Amino acid sequence: MFHFFDVIDSTNTEASRLLEAAQTSGKGFLSCHKDVVWALSQTAGRGRLGRSFFSPESGVYFSLIFCPEKTSEDFDPAIYTAVASVAVCRSLKKLYNKDSTIKWVNDVYVNEKKVCGILTEGKIDTEKNIIGALVIGIGINIYTPKEKFPEEIRNRAGSVLESEKERNNVTPEDLVREIVSCACKIYENSELLESTMQEYKDRSNLIGKKITVTPVIEQNEGRYEALVKDITQRARLVVQLEDGSIRELSSGEVSLHM
Ligand code: BTN
């Protein structure tokens, strides 16, 4: 089911409210499986690591609720996020003929500017005590003139399109439906996962680059420089430190600067 809003606080927050209501009413999370909450702007868009996400009317913002079949031991939300980023890239190509890359873990870039961010949140099913649903939130700047971006992100953020004319009669709803159908097809057909994760790696704009890693979880060390060597099938970033040692990073652990 699609839930549309012109304006909302955050589609991820609304999706959480739907899940809570489903749990309280006894219908359960599965009654919301594959529901999509989407909006043309958000007043309190949320990003990773507690940041806010700039969400003006010139974009599209949506959250897909997906209830994985596997138990919480078997599945990894990072893979769902990685698959979603590939679905965004494929859809931008199909609908707008735009090439895009992925900055690990989940930012989509067009013309070397970030045009899309993804925030995946797990919801605990309190009866079964497992992650019973994922809320996969995707925000895309379709066309926002540069001067409209807040100054602090103006150098990094961009839009999919270079002008309104390039919309080519593609509506925001077309884009939402295309991404949702592409992602769900992969989520529901595990034999598609291997090639999708290969594409995730092939689209990476980090492999071979020097980056600065900032651990976000309290650790004994601060930020450090590293060379990106690889991305694994489980969406982990393999980096080499200056002393030659190798580390595998998972999405929650770090923020990166190219
Ligand atoms: C990031 O770049 O840090 C992730 C941004 C995720 C933004 C999307 S917009 C739709 C959904 N609703 C939110 O509040 N956040 C996600």
Side-chain angles (χ1 to χ4, degrees):
M1 186 176 172
F2 267 54
H3 308 261
F4 171 71
F5 298 84
D6 277 318
V7 187
I8 197 162
D9 50 355
S10 151
T11 57
N12 266 36
T13 306
E14 176 63 17
S16 295
R17 288 192 285 257
L18 288 177
L19 286 165
E20 270 157 34
Q23 184 137 280
T24 315
S25 69
K27 285 188 198 154
F29 283 177
L30 271 175
S31 65
C32 302
H33 182 52
K34 298 213 275 185
D35 275 13
V36 174
V37 179
W38 71 286
L40 294 175
S41 67
Q42 300 182 119
T43 54
R46 298 189 283 110
R48 288 182 66 229
L49 311 173
R51 296 179 186 132
S52 61
F53 188 75
F54 178 58
S55 314
E57 276 167 21
S58 42
V60 65
Y61 313 93
F62 65 98
S63 302
L64 166 67
I65 296 174
F66 197 89
C67 301
E69 272 175 27
K70 300 169 184 169
T71 67
S72 56
E73 285 132 48
D74 293 335
F75 94 99
D76 184 346
I79 292 179
Y80 283 80
T81 311
V83 166
S85 65
V86 171
V88 170
C89 293
R90 288 185 189 169
S91 304
L92 295 182
K93 184 69 182 172
K94 184 168 172 186
L95 298 184
Y96 298 119
N97 197 26
K98 292 286 175 183
D99 293 319
S100 50
T101 58
I102 298 169
K103 181 182 167 219
W104 186 85
V105 55
N106 54 13
D107 293 343
V108 175
Y109 276 59
V110 170
N111 292 328
E112 295 178 24
K113 301 281 182 201
K114 173 172 169 175
V115 301
C116 165
I118 304 177
L119 173 68
T120 299
E121 298 177 299
K123 296 286 154 199
I124 304 281
D125 183 326
T126 46
E127 284 194 357
K128 299 181 192 145
N129 212 20
I130 55 164
I131 295 182
L134 292 174
V135 174
I136 301 150
I138 301 180
I140 304 174
N141 300 323
I142 299 179
Y143 176 63
T144 308
K146 194 172 171 166
E147 63 279 6
K148 296 243 169 96
F149 285 108
E151 215 172 305
E152 61 277 17
I153 59 169
R154 204 168 287 162
N155 286 334
R156 277 183 296 123
S159 305
V160 174
L161 306 181
E162 281 164 39
S163 74
E164 284 287 351
K165 267 193 270 165
E166 286 187 323
R167 283 189 191 264
N168 285 340
N169 296 329
V170 176
T171 65
E173 183 172 352
D174 295 334
L175 182 60
V176 175
R177 287 193 185 274
E178 183 62 34
I179 295 168
V180 166
S181 111
C182 181
C184 286
K185 191 170 161 201
I186 303 163
Y187 295 151
E188 291 167 342
N189 293 283
S190 54
E191 71 279 8
L192 298 177
L193 193 59
E194 195 180 331
S195 60
T196 304
M197 292 309 291
Q198 181 63 44
E199 180 175 342
Y200 176 69
K201 175 176 154 177
D202 292 342
R203 286 186 180 273
S204 170
N205 56 17
L206 281 190
I207 292 179
K209 298 248 172 74
K210 274 216 156 172
I211 56 165
T212 306
V213 180
T214 310
V216 293
I217 301 169
E218 221 169 275
Q219 285 172 347
N220 292 333
E221 60 180 353
R223 57 176 60 189
Y224 57 90
E225 306 278 303
L227 176 68
V228 179
K229 301 292 279 183
D230 199 5
I231 293 179
T232 69
Q233 279 276 316
R234 298 194 69 80
R236 287 172 165 258
L237 192 74
V238 183
V239 297
Q240 183 168 41
L241 278 61
E242 278 165 348
D243 65 4
S245 62
I246 298 281
R247 280 190 194 173
E248 268 191 25
L249 307 176
S250 67
S251 57
E253 287 176 338
V254 295
S255 79
L256 305 176
H257 300 280
M258 285 199 258

mmCIF file of all heavy atoms in Angstrom, residues 225-241:
data_model
loop_
_atom_site.group_PDB
_atom_site.id
_atom_site.type_symbol
_atom_site.label_atom_id
_atom_site.label_comp_id
_atom_site.label_asym_id
_atom_site.label_seq_id
_atom_site.Cartn_x
_atom_site.Cartn_y
_atom_site.Cartn_z
ATOM 1 N N GLU A 225 44.007 7.474 8.575
ATOM 2 C CA GLU A 225 44.027 7.414 7.108
ATOM 3 C C GLU A 225 44.071 5.961 6.667
ATOM 4 O O GLU A 225 44.687 5.136 7.339
ATOM 5 C CB GLU A 225 45.302 8.066 6.564
ATOM 6 C CG GLU A 225 45.557 9.478 7.033
ATOM 7 C CD GLU A 225 44.773 10.475 6.210
ATOM 8 O OE1 GLU A 225 44.947 10.477 4.981
ATOM 9 O OE2 GLU A 225 43.970 11.224 6.796
ATOM 10 N N ALA A 226 43.453 5.671 5.538
ATOM 11 C CA ALA A 226 43.500 4.295 5.026
ATOM 12 C C ALA A 226 43.283 4.304 3.515
ATOM 13 O O ALA A 226 42.733 5.260 2.957
ATOM 14 C CB ALA A 226 42.434 3.447 5.703
ATOM 15 N N LEU A 227 43.721 3.198 2.904
ATOM 16 C CA LEU A 227 43.526 3.031 1.463
ATOM 17 C C LEU A 227 42.414 1.999 1.265
ATOM 18 O O LEU A 227 42.454 0.920 1.863
ATOM 19 C CB LEU A 227 44.837 2.525 0.842
ATOM 20 C CG LEU A 227 44.812 2.197 -0.643
ATOM 21 C CD1 LEU A 227 44.623 3.489 -1.466
ATOM 22 C CD2 LEU A 227 46.123 1.517 -1.061
ATOM 23 N N VAL A 228 41.433 2.315 0.430
ATOM 24 C CA VAL A 228 40.323 1.375 0.224
ATOM 25 C C VAL A 228 40.741 0.302 -0.770
ATOM 26 O O VAL A 228 41.127 0.603 -1.909
ATOM 27 C CB VAL A 228 39.060 2.104 -0.283
ATOM 28 C CG1 VAL A 228 37.939 1.110 -0.522
ATOM 29 C CG2 VAL A 228 38.635 3.167 0.730
ATOM 30 N N LYS A 229 40.663 -0.955 -0.322
ATOM 31 C CA LYS A 229 41.117 -2.071 -1.166
ATOM 32 C C LYS A 229 39.954 -2.808 -1.819
ATOM 33 O O LYS A 229 40.077 -3.312 -2.925
ATOM 34 C CB LYS A 229 41.895 -3.095 -0.310
ATOM 35 C CG LYS A 229 43.114 -2.549 0.399
ATOM 36 C CD LYS A 229 44.224 -2.171 -0.522
ATOM 37 C CE LYS A 229 45.045 -3.361 -0.962
ATOM 38 N NZ LYS A 229 46.178 -2.931 -1.803
ATOM 39 N N ASP A 230 38.824 -2.923 -1.115
ATOM 40 C CA ASP A 230 37.788 -3.827 -1.628
ATOM 41 C C ASP A 230 36.475 -3.576 -0.890
ATOM 42 O O ASP A 230 36.447 -2.896 0.149
ATOM 43 C CB ASP A 230 38.247 -5.283 -1.365
ATOM 44 C CG ASP A 230 37.520 -6.307 -2.230
ATOM 45 O OD1 ASP A 230 36.722 -5.909 -3.101
ATOM 46 O OD2 ASP A 230 37.744 -7.516 -2.000
ATOM 47 N N ILE A 231 35.405 -4.147 -1.431
ATOM 48 C CA ILE A 231 34.114 -4.206 -0.721
ATOM 49 C C ILE A 231 33.659 -5.659 -0.791
ATOM 50 O O ILE A 231 33.674 -6.270 -1.866
ATOM 51 C CB ILE A 231 33.079 -3.273 -1.372
ATOM 52 C CG1 ILE A 231 33.517 -1.815 -1.179
ATOM 53 C CG2 ILE A 231 31.695 -3.503 -0.764
ATOM 54 C CD1 ILE A 231 32.600 -0.791 -1.794
ATOM 55 N N THR A 232 33.272 -6.212 0.363
ATOM 56 C CA THR A 232 32.930 -7.638 0.383
ATOM 57 C C THR A 232 31.479 -7.859 -0.047
ATOM 58 O O THR A 232 30.696 -6.910 -0.146
ATOM 59 C CB THR A 232 33.094 -8.234 1.801
ATOM 60 O OG1 THR A 232 32.063 -7.675 2.622
ATOM 61 C CG2 THR A 232 34.458 -7.914 2.387
ATOM 62 N N GLN A 233 31.129 -9.122 -0.247
ATOM 63 C CA GLN A 233 29.749 -9.484 -0.599
ATOM 64 C C GLN A 233 28.777 -9.113 0.516
ATOM 65 O O GLN A 233 27.579 -9.033 0.292
ATOM 66 C CB GLN A 233 29.671 -10.993 -0.874
ATOM 67 C CG GLN A 233 30.141 -11.387 -2.269
ATOM 68 C CD GLN A 233 29.035 -11.228 -3.322
ATOM 69 O OE1 GLN A 233 27.909 -11.600 -3.106
ATOM 70 N NE2 GLN A 233 29.377 -10.679 -4.475
ATOM 71 N N ARG A 234 29.285 -8.903 1.732
ATOM 72 C CA ARG A 234 28.411 -8.493 2.832
ATOM 73 C C ARG A 234 28.498 -6.994 3.098
ATOM 74 O O ARG A 234 28.205 -6.517 4.195
ATOM 75 C CB ARG A 234 28.722 -9.307 4.101
ATOM 76 C CG ARG A 234 28.475 -10.794 3.904
ATOM 77 C CD ARG A 234 28.451 -11.573 5.186
ATOM 78 N NE ARG A 234 27.301 -11.286 6.034
ATOM 79 C CZ ARG A 234 26.080 -11.801 5.849
ATOM 80 N NH1 ARG A 234 25.854 -12.601 4.845
ATOM 81 N NH2 ARG A 234 25.100 -11.494 6.669
ATOM 82 N N ALA A 235 28.921 -6.252 2.071
ATOM 83 C CA ALA A 235 28.927 -4.777 2.098
ATOM 84 C C ALA A 235 29.896 -4.195 3.123
ATOM 85 O O ALA A 235 29.687 -3.100 3.626
ATOM 86 C CB ALA A 235 27.508 -4.239 2.341
ATOM 87 N N ARG A 236 30.965 -4.952 3.419
ATOM 88 C CA ARG A 236 31.973 -4.402 4.320
ATOM 89 C C ARG A 236 33.098 -3.769 3.508
ATOM 90 O O ARG A 236 33.452 -4.272 2.444
ATOM 91 C CB ARG A 236 32.539 -5.490 5.231
ATOM 92 C CG ARG A 236 31.524 -5.868 6.282
ATOM 93 C CD ARG A 236 31.942 -7.062 7.079
ATOM 94 N NE ARG A 236 31.117 -7.149 8.265
ATOM 95 C CZ ARG A 236 31.503 -6.787 9.490
ATOM 96 N NH1 ARG A 236 32.716 -6.341 9.704
ATOM 97 N NH2 ARG A 236 30.684 -6.885 10.512
ATOM 98 N N LEU A 237 33.644 -2.687 4.048
ATOM 99 C CA LEU A 237 34.711 -1.977 3.347
ATOM 100 C C LEU A 237 36.052 -2.491 3.854
ATOM 101 O O LEU A 237 36.316 -2.470 5.053
ATOM 102 C CB LEU A 237 34.592 -0.475 3.637
ATOM 103 C CG LEU A 237 35.430 0.443 2.771
ATOM 104 C CD1 LEU A 237 34.823 0.548 1.361
ATOM 105 C CD2 LEU A 237 35.494 1.843 3.382
ATOM 106 N N VAL A 238 36.891 -2.953 2.910
ATOM 107 C CA VAL A 238 38.209 -3.470 3.289
ATOM 108 C C VAL A 238 39.233 -2.357 3.080
ATOM 109 O O VAL A 238 39.364 -1.836 1.960
ATOM 110 C CB VAL A 238 38.584 -4.704 2.438
ATOM 111 C CG1 VAL A 238 39.925 -5.282 2.873
ATOM 112 C CG2 VAL A 238 37.489 -5.769 2.519
ATOM 113 N N VAL A 239 39.909 -1.973 4.157
ATOM 114 C CA VAL A 239 40.890 -0.889 4.047
ATOM 115 C C VAL A 239 42.261 -1.341 4.544
ATOM 116 O O VAL A 239 42.366 -2.241 5.381
ATOM 117 C CB VAL A 239 40.449 0.371 4.836
ATOM 118 C CG1 VAL A 239 39.161 0.949 4.286
ATOM 119 C CG2 VAL A 239 40.323 0.097 6.328
ATOM 120 N N GLN A 240 43.283 -0.676 3.978
ATOM 121 C CA GLN A 240 44.651 -0.950 4.431
ATOM 122 C C GLN A 240 45.180 0.291 5.148
ATOM 123 O O GLN A 240 45.113 1.413 4.612
ATOM 124 C CB GLN A 240 45.546 -1.274 3.236
ATOM 125 C CG GLN A 240 46.953 -1.647 3.651
ATOM 126 C CD GLN A 240 47.730 -2.250 2.492
ATOM 127 O OE1 GLN A 240 47.622 -1.773 1.358
ATOM 128 N NE2 GLN A 240 48.508 -3.276 2.767
ATOM 129 N N LEU A 241 45.679 0.087 6.348
ATOM 130 C CA LEU A 241 46.212 1.205 7.129
ATOM 131 C C LEU A 241 47.657 1.489 6.728
ATOM 132 O O LEU A 241 48.277 0.704 6.003
ATOM 133 C CB LEU A 241 46.121 0.884 8.627
ATOM 134 C CG LEU A 241 44.748 1.133 9.249
ATOM 135 C CD1 LEU A 241 43.662 0.299 8.617
ATOM 136 C CD2 LEU A 241 44.799 0.863 10.753
#
